[in-house]
Amino acid sequence: MIRLMAIVLALLLSFSPAVAEQPSAVRELLTELADRNDLKPLKTVIVARDGETIAEKGYRGHSPGESTNIKSASKSVISALVGIAIDKGLLNGPEQKIAPLLKEDLPSSADPRINDITIGNLLSMQAGLGRLSGPNYGRWVSSRNWVRFALAQPFADEPGGRMLYSTASTHLLSAILTKVGRKSTLALARDWLGPLQGFRIGAWERDPQGIYLGGNQMAMSARSLLAFGELYREGGRTADGRQIVPADWIDLSWQPHTNSYFSGDAYGYGWFARQIGGETAHFAWGYGGQMLYIIPSLKLTVVMTSEETGPSARSGYRDALHGVLAEIVSAVKTD
């Protein structure tokens, strides 16, 4: 009789809501972030492990489902489209020279080194052309032809030299994709990434010639960015097993090709990498603190979106977000 009662009690406890829904260290952490003074720009955080969202939170009236400008995190999307274009035979590979592809927009008295720039150089920010980000961004986007303006910049280094972070480089890739794909970059993204459930690009700025801005001003929800990150974490395959981005392209994109002058972080083809919380994190980073982190060793994908009204690097806010990821890693290991 006593044994029977013990069995019944054990069964009741096994179905008790208090036991079935154990407290999550990750969910508790995300709740606590709302009170942090160093995280006031934070809008949303989503944490997924092994394809399952284990915690998500919106702050100060924001929601993970709302559209946000992911800024330069979109450079990783451009990189994915380049990899797909290579897989489809529309481009030859990262060593392909860009001058023949953009010959109509080359300056009449071009520096001969322009003939040495490759697709890979644009992806890794090693084109050598003068930077058109930061203080130079405004004069570039107010020009009448962004592609020609970018190609006319004086060389600041040799092609394949040091990393010169420039949104103009990824915009040249958008122009190349538009030409070889015979569709707008947005149309190609919707065609090629369309099978990815939960992924959607909303508004996206275009240049005066109608070319979508490669690497900035792209609207997407945090959940959509998570879906893109999960695609990469799964080696380019969708949940139903369809290969969208070639797995070897992801490996090549995550391989360090250079290092950021500003942070020292490794940089591949549109992706940064560094050690965070004792694990290797590959991440896309946009102005203001738009972050997509992937930690393959933990099967972890994390998205953070922020207000885009101020820089995240000089203010220390980006480092605060890296710190949050380290806390998430610790909490995941605890859970």
Side-chain angles (χ1 to χ4, degrees):
M1 183 67 178
I2 294 175
R3 183 179 178 187
L4 179 60
M5 289 178 64
I7 293 172
V8 171
L9 180 60
L11 287 172
L12 287 172
L13 286 173
S14 69
F15 288 105
S16 169
V19 175
E21 190 175 328
Q22 294 290 339
S24 163
V26 177
R27 286 197 297 272
E28 289 176 1
L29 170 62
L30 265 54
T31 299
E32 293 167 2
L33 298 181
D35 298 323
R36 293 257 299 263
N37 288 329
D38 60 337
L39 298 175
K40 288 191 180 300
L42 190 62
K43 291 164 65 175
T44 67
V45 179
I46 309 178
V47 181
R49 191 170 193 194
D50 200 14
E52 178 183 354
T53 297
I54 59 175
E56 64 174 28
K57 182 77 173 174
Y59 303 91
R60 289 165 282 281
H62 295 286
S63 161
E66 72 184 28
S67 186
T68 192
N69 187 344
I70 66 169
K71 306 297 280 188
S72 286
S74 59
K75 289 178 171 64
S76 302
V77 177
I78 292 293
S79 176
L81 296 177
V82 171
I84 295 171
I86 292 171
D87 187 57
K88 291 181 177 294
L90 299 175
L91 292 171
N92 299 334
E95 298 307 316
Q96 184 174 359
K97 303 293 175 57
I98 70 164
L101 295 168
L102 298 173
K103 57 185 177 182
E104 294 86 355
D105 292 305
L106 294 176
S108 55
S109 55
D111 186 309
R113 288 176 290 182
I114 208 161
N115 296 302
D116 297 327
I117 300 173
T118 66
I119 295 286
N121 292 156
L122 294 179
L123 286 162
S124 62
M125 302 291 174
Q126 294 175 284
L129 295 168
R131 295 179 64 240
L132 290 174
S133 284
N136 299 320
Y137 183 83
R139 65 187 182 90
W140 172 51
V141 296
S142 35
S143 69
R144 289 184 290 183
N145 188 310
W146 298 0
V147 172
R148 290 181 183 177
F149 193 90
L151 292 169
Q153 294 308 295
F155 277 80
D157 201 353
E158 300 298 317
R162 72 183 190 276
M163 180 182 180
L164 296 166
Y165 190 90
S166 178
T167 297
S169 288
T170 38
H171 188 61
L172 292 178
L173 290 170
S174 182
I176 289 169
L177 287 166
T178 300
K179 181 172 183 178
V180 301
R182 298 185 178 182
K183 290 182 180 180
S184 73
T185 317
L186 178 58
L188 294 174
R190 287 174 173 168
D191 285 351
W192 295 348
L193 298 174
L196 177 59
Q197 187 174 3
F199 178 83
R200 180 182 177 276
I201 296 173
W204 191 2
E205 186 174 339
R206 292 190 283 180
D207 73 6
Q209 285 65 50
I211 298 168
Y212 283 92
L213 175 48
N216 200 6
Q217 305 298 89
M218 179 188 287
M220 189 183 295
S221 71
R223 288 178 184 148
S224 180
L225 194 55
L226 179 77
F228 178 72
E230 279 292 289
L231 177 69
Y232 263 64
R233 188 189 64 78
E234 288 284 14
R237 294 183 305 275
T238 61
D240 61 3
R242 180 170 176 176
Q243 193 79 39
I244 294 182
V245 180
D248 58 356
W249 181 254
I250 294 175
D251 292 338
L252 190 60
S253 299
W254 283 355
Q255 177 183 323
H257 294 279
T258 185
N259 292 86
S260 168
Y261 170 81
F262 301 102
S263 67
D265 293 337
Y267 194 71
Y269 286 165
W271 291 87
F272 291 92
R274 71 183 300 163
Q275 290 290 306
I276 300 179
E279 307 289 339
T280 299
H282 303 279
F283 64 98
W285 166 34
Y287 182 88
Q290 323 310 323
M291 315 298 296
L292 167 60
Y293 298 100
I294 303 171
I295 301 183
S297 60
L298 297 177
K299 299 182 179 180
L300 190 68
T301 306
V302 178
V303 172
M304 303 180 194
T305 62
S306 307
E307 301 290 350
E308 46 185 274
T309 52
S312 60
R314 295 194 305 272
S315 66
Y317 177 63
R318 176 205 57 198
D319 294 334
L321 296 180
H322 288 342
V324 170
L325 179 65
E327 293 179 62
I328 290 171
V329 168
S330 177
V332 163
K333 291 177 179 178
T334 300
D335 282 344

